[in-house]
Amino acid sequence: MYVAVKGGEAAILNSYGLLAEQRRGHATLPELSVAQIRQQLKLAVDRVMTEGSVYDPELAALAIKQAAGDLVEAIFLLRAYRATLPRLGTTCPLDTSRMALDRRISATFKDLPGGQVLGPTYDYTQRLLDFTLLAEGRLPEAAQPAADAPTGHTPRVVDLLNHEGLIETRPVPPGDPEPTDLTREPMRFPANRATRLQNLARGDEGFLLAMAYSTQRGYSHSHPFVGEVRLGTVAVHIEPEELGFAIDIGDIEITECEMVNQFAGSKNQPPQFTRGYGLAFGHSERKAMAMSLVDRALRADELGEPVESPAQMQEFVLGHSDSLEASGFVQHLKLPHYVDFQSELELVRKMRAAAPAATAIQGDAA
């Protein structure tokens, strides 16, 4: 047994070396730096920050490098590091209406107060390989100067519907309790909306995208419109007890999406539009949009709609959205299951041996 343990330990240590060699790639090529990953793989960095629940582009880039580009593994590394950090305080709610906008579009109204801001997007690019990117060191062509994006308070698109009373309003109720912290407390069902949004923000983008897609293909009673997608920086404030007022501690980049959905009304509410909400770190439009679609689907019970589809079922969505839990449960199948398999193998052998005898008895009875 001692020899087997030492042999296994040596193999594991050797696998570390092979992994480092694979990560580094051919020694004749320059090593990819964390700064390069942070600057040039921005969308991957933003996803790792969002699902890792840590806003730190440098640490996210480091995790991507260490994981050799495996984003789920990078998210795992970042969350593990997060668990070691002390909690110094809680920030105030973000005022996204005062976001310094880099991009702001709406599919519901053409003319918006402050205008549509196209910003950086793949929406209008041709999905063709750009072989000019193979030319190392070539700088991209400079973008043409654009009109200044709106600054200060920029009205939301849903405010236009609010003026006519055509969309639900959700004022903060008096005595509104503090939301559950999912990083410290387990998920309990039924989960309120604040808890669901936390789960969705940390959820795997691919899973949420599939759930959102299912709602558009008929597996939910909704017809969505993109009310607004915003990308920009927003101030973060904290309010220390000893000061008694809020102070600005910096800015973060976020993507926010408000989805507008039809609602036929119920016994207590008239026909109106309802909302789905999504928010993610960095430039993460697909995640924010998918999150907003799933958020709206999960409100079916609250709005008196029939819960018939997977995207409307809390336990199904929230219980399977986390990439780390899903990855761990699937990959644990690689661990030794020798005893379990041998017991099942012996059972199948006995069943096969008993099958001819049972067939013969049935034939004699006939």
Side-chain angles (χ1 to χ4, degrees):
M1 178 61 72
Y2 179 76
V3 173
V5 169
K6 293 294 290 184
E9 182 181 4
I12 291 171
L13 293 175
N14 192 45
S15 74
Y16 292 165
L18 293 172
L19 184 61
E21 183 179 326
Q22 175 182 278
R23 180 192 307 120
R24 174 59 180 84
H26 203 285
T28 60
L29 296 174
E31 184 175 1
L32 190 62
S33 70
V34 170
Q36 286 175 306
I37 295 173
R38 176 177 176 177
Q39 292 294 324
Q40 300 178 35
L41 298 181
K42 182 183 183 305
L43 300 184
V45 169
D46 291 345
R47 176 178 176 181
V48 171
M49 289 196 304
T50 297
E51 296 180 31
S53 299
V54 176
Y55 190 90
D56 191 317
E58 184 174 39
L59 291 181
L62 172 62
I64 291 172
K65 178 175 180 178
Q66 183 176 336
D70 183 339
L71 298 189
V72 174
E73 182 69 19
I75 292 162
F76 198 156
L77 292 169
L78 197 58
R79 280 206 204 169
Y81 176 75
R82 182 189 189 279
T84 69
L85 299 176
R87 179 163 300 188
L88 304 178
T90 303
T91 62
C92 302
L94 297 179
D95 184 2
T96 58
S97 68
R98 297 189 177 277
M99 187 188 303
L101 296 172
D102 294 317
R103 173 166 161 78
R104 185 241 195 159
I105 60 168
S106 172
T108 52
F109 292 97
K110 180 181 178 181
D111 298 316
L112 301 173
Q116 306 248 13
V117 181
L118 193 59
T121 177
Y122 285 102
D123 291 348
Y124 303 100
T125 60
Q126 291 182 310
R127 264 58 175 196
L128 301 173
L129 284 175
D130 183 359
F131 290 99
T132 64
L133 296 177
L134 292 173
E136 296 182 9
R138 176 170 176 167
L139 296 176
E141 296 181 5
Q144 296 295 322
D148 293 336
T151 57
H153 182 82
T154 307
R156 301 176 185 279
V157 167
V158 294
D159 291 339
L160 302 176
L161 296 172
N162 275 338
H163 292 318
E164 298 183 60
L166 296 178
I167 192 166
E168 63 173 341
T169 56
R170 299 186 60 83
V172 178
D176 186 38
E178 289 293 322
T180 300
D181 184 350
L182 279 184
T183 66
R184 295 186 171 193
E185 299 181 37
M187 173 73 70
R188 292 185 175 88
F189 298 102
N192 60 30
R193 194 180 183 200
T195 304
R196 299 197 303 261
L197 287 171
Q198 283 185 70
N199 179 285
L200 297 178
R202 288 159 55 92
D204 180 72
E205 181 178 312
F207 176 83
L208 293 185
L209 184 63
M211 289 290 97
Y213 180 46
S214 74
T215 69
Q216 294 179 275
R217 297 194 67 248
Y219 291 91
S220 178
H221 301 283
S222 65
H223 185 233
F225 299 89
V226 173
E228 190 170 10
V229 172
R230 292 181 173 217
L231 166 68
T233 55
V234 64
V236 178
H237 296 85
I238 62 171
E239 187 173 332
E241 293 183 5
E242 60 272 22
L243 293 181
F245 57 87
I247 58 174
D248 187 338
I249 61 172
D251 297 329
I252 61 173
E253 184 184 44
I254 61 171
T255 301
E256 181 184 44
C257 176
E258 286 199 278
M259 200 70 67
V260 177
N261 294 69
Q262 293 178 357
F263 176 58
S266 64
K267 294 180 180 179
N268 303 319
Q269 295 175 305
Q272 60 186 323
F273 291 104
T274 54
R275 306 180 188 186
Y277 186 77
L279 186 140
F281 287 149
H283 193 178
S284 308
E285 288 182 33
R286 185 168 53 227
K287 171 64 178 284
M289 290 179 66
M291 178 179 169
S292 64
L293 286 167
V294 177
D295 168 50
R296 173 57 181 83
L298 289 174
R299 297 181 60 203
D301 189 57
E302 164 198 340
L303 295 171
E305 297 172 342
V307 178
E308 301 171 336
S309 305
Q312 298 172 303
M313 300 174 183
Q314 281 195 27
E315 293 193 37
F316 181 85
V317 174
L318 304 182
H320 298 90
S321 64
D322 192 276
S323 64
L324 304 195
E325 292 185 6
S327 176
F329 206 73
V330 170
Q331 293 201 78
H332 99 282
L333 296 173
K334 295 184 290 186
L335 298 175
H337 287 75
Y338 309 134
V339 175
D340 292 345
F341 180 73
Q342 290 301 318
S343 66
E344 292 201 13
L345 182 62
E346 186 63 25
L347 176 61
V348 171
R349 284 171 174 164
K350 289 180 179 179
M351 291 170 64
R352 287 178 63 88
T359 302
I361 292 174
Q362 291 177 358
D364 293 341

